Structures are given as structure tokens and as C-alpha cells.
Amino acid sequence: MFKKFLLSLVCLLFIFLSGCSSSKQIDVASLAETVTADIKDGSLCYTFYIIGSDEKVDSVSVFANSFNQACSIAKKSYIPNLSLAKFELFVVNKKIYKEILKSDIEYISSEYYISPLSYVALCDDNTMKFFSEIKDAPKVAEEHILLLKNKNKSVNINSLSIFNNFSSAYDREFYIPFINSNEELKAEVIKINSKK
């Protein structure tokens, strides 16, 4: 009797300690928090910065004509379980925003699996270097964008508000955060025109 009880107790402990073998956990190596759009080697390049547990910056760069295409290529070739549910920051080089920003924002705003509260900002040439080298660069940029928003209510900080401005027939000019990296990352306000 005691042996049966002990055996049952061991089995129960084994079940509770081992957990369910078919349970699914989120693979943090596939969660992209930040995406940048820049020109590399004369082509449009989207870089996905992935959540990682170590101090090095984990990223995947994809050459594509749009954010939509970049997501598709990244999923097929580099990050099969790519998730944009935690997507927080989309940064576009100021030199190319006229070509891609409107269509990319429309895509981000229309897809249910992409966080609707992702911050959208423009940047200078050197900012991409900060993102590729400094793990906390996205968080620092977001903090500066939030401070900027608190000081200036005309700044649109998420994709849906910018999308609404793009859609407006009357409001062709609006303000957006610009991340400047002369010596350190900081945000300021610039005016852009929504016309292509």
C-alpha cells in the first residue's frame, strides 16, 4: 500500500515538475521590437531588431521594396516565426521617407498582427549606426519621442495617427519626430508633407 502511494506521489510530482510537453512558448528570438528603413549599397534595406537576452544587438537586414515585402522575405528566409506584436519603433531615413513612408504606414495600420501603437520617426544618416551598435538605442529614442510628445501636442507618435494625417484631404503638412544623432540620440520635431 505504501509503495503504491509513494509511486503515485512520484508520478504526480513528475507530471507537475515536467509541465506539459505540448505547451507553446513565445520564442523571443522572433519578436521584432524595432525596424529601420535605410539605403544600403544603393538599395532599400529594412533591418529587424530582435529581442535578445544578451547585450549584443540581434538584427536581420532584408533588401525589399516595401515593409510588406520585407516582412514576407524575413519570414520565408530568416525569421520563420517573426512576430510584430511587440513592434514599438519604425525609423525611416529622412532621405527616403517620401518614397516609402505613406505606403509602409498604410500597411502597418492595416495589419491586425502588427502593434497599432508603434512609434514612427524619421532619422539622419548616423542614427542607423546607433541602432546597430547600442542595445538600448530604441528605448532611448522612444523616451525622447515621449518627452517630445509631452512638450508638443502637435507631434504624431504612432502609426495610426500618422495614417489619419496621410488620409486627410485638408492636412497635407504635419509634424513627426526626427531622431538626431550628432553626439547622442535625441528627438526633435520636423514638418513633413504628406504628398508624394
Side-chain angles (χ1 to χ4, degrees):
M1 176 85 168
F2 180 73
K3 286 183 180 180
K4 287 183 181 179
F5 173 76
L6 189 60
L7 185 60
S8 298
L9 184 62
V10 169
C11 287
L12 284 173
L13 282 173
F14 180 76
I15 290 169
F16 285 120
L17 293 176
S18 65
C20 181
S21 62
S22 64
S23 66
K24 293 185 178 180
Q25 295 181 353
I26 295 173
D27 180 8
V28 293
S30 63
L31 290 171
E33 276 189 309
T34 303
V35 178
T36 60
D38 198 9
I39 294 291
K40 287 185 183 176
D41 302 325
S43 298
L44 182 57
C45 181
Y46 291 85
T47 302
F48 296 80
Y49 291 92
I50 308 300
I51 296 176
S53 57
D54 54 8
E55 287 303 309
K56 77 178 177 100
V57 179
D58 295 323
S59 64
V60 173
S61 292
V62 176
F63 289 96
N65 295 323
S66 67
F67 187 71
N68 181 4
Q69 186 182 45
C71 290
S72 179
I73 293 170
K75 284 180 183 179
K76 285 180 185 173
S77 304
Y78 305 104
I79 317 167
N81 297 318
L82 175 65
S83 171
L84 295 170
K86 297 274 186 184
F87 180 41
E88 294 180 358
L89 183 62
F90 181 52
V91 182
V92 178
N93 190 314
K94 187 181 176 187
K95 290 181 177 178
I96 60 170
Y97 84 87
K98 290 181 181 177
E99 290 81 30
I100 66 165
L101 190 61
K102 182 175 182 180
S103 61
D104 285 355
I105 294 299
E106 287 174 350
Y107 174 71
I108 291 169
S109 301
S110 66
E111 295 301 316
Y112 69 91
Y113 67 91
I114 300 177
S115 170
L117 297 176
S118 51
Y119 304 146
V120 179
L122 303 184
C123 70
D124 57 9
D125 286 329
N126 296 325
T127 300
M128 299 306 172
K129 187 176 179 184
F130 278 87
F131 283 101
S132 65
E133 295 176 352
I134 301 171
K135 179 93 173 166
D136 292 334
K139 294 295 177 204
V140 172
E142 288 173 32
E143 288 170 7
H144 282 283
I145 290 170
L146 287 172
L147 287 171
L148 193 65
K149 182 188 184 246
N150 290 338
K151 291 179 183 176
N152 189 336
K153 300 299 180 189
S154 65
V155 177
N156 294 307
I157 67 162
N158 68 57
S159 61
L160 293 180
S161 64
I162 291 175
F163 176 66
N164 291 336
N165 274 304
F166 275 134
S167 300
S168 170
Y170 304 104
D171 192 9
R172 293 294 183 184
E173 293 182 335
F174 58 97
Y175 297 91
I176 188 171
F178 174 74
I179 301 172
N180 188 337
S181 63
N182 287 336
E183 293 178 7
E184 60 179 344
L185 288 182
K186 58 185 178 182
E188 57 194 57
V189 180
I190 65 166
K191 183 168 69 173
I192 68 170
N193 193 317
S194 64
K195 291 179 182 175
K196 258 196 164 181

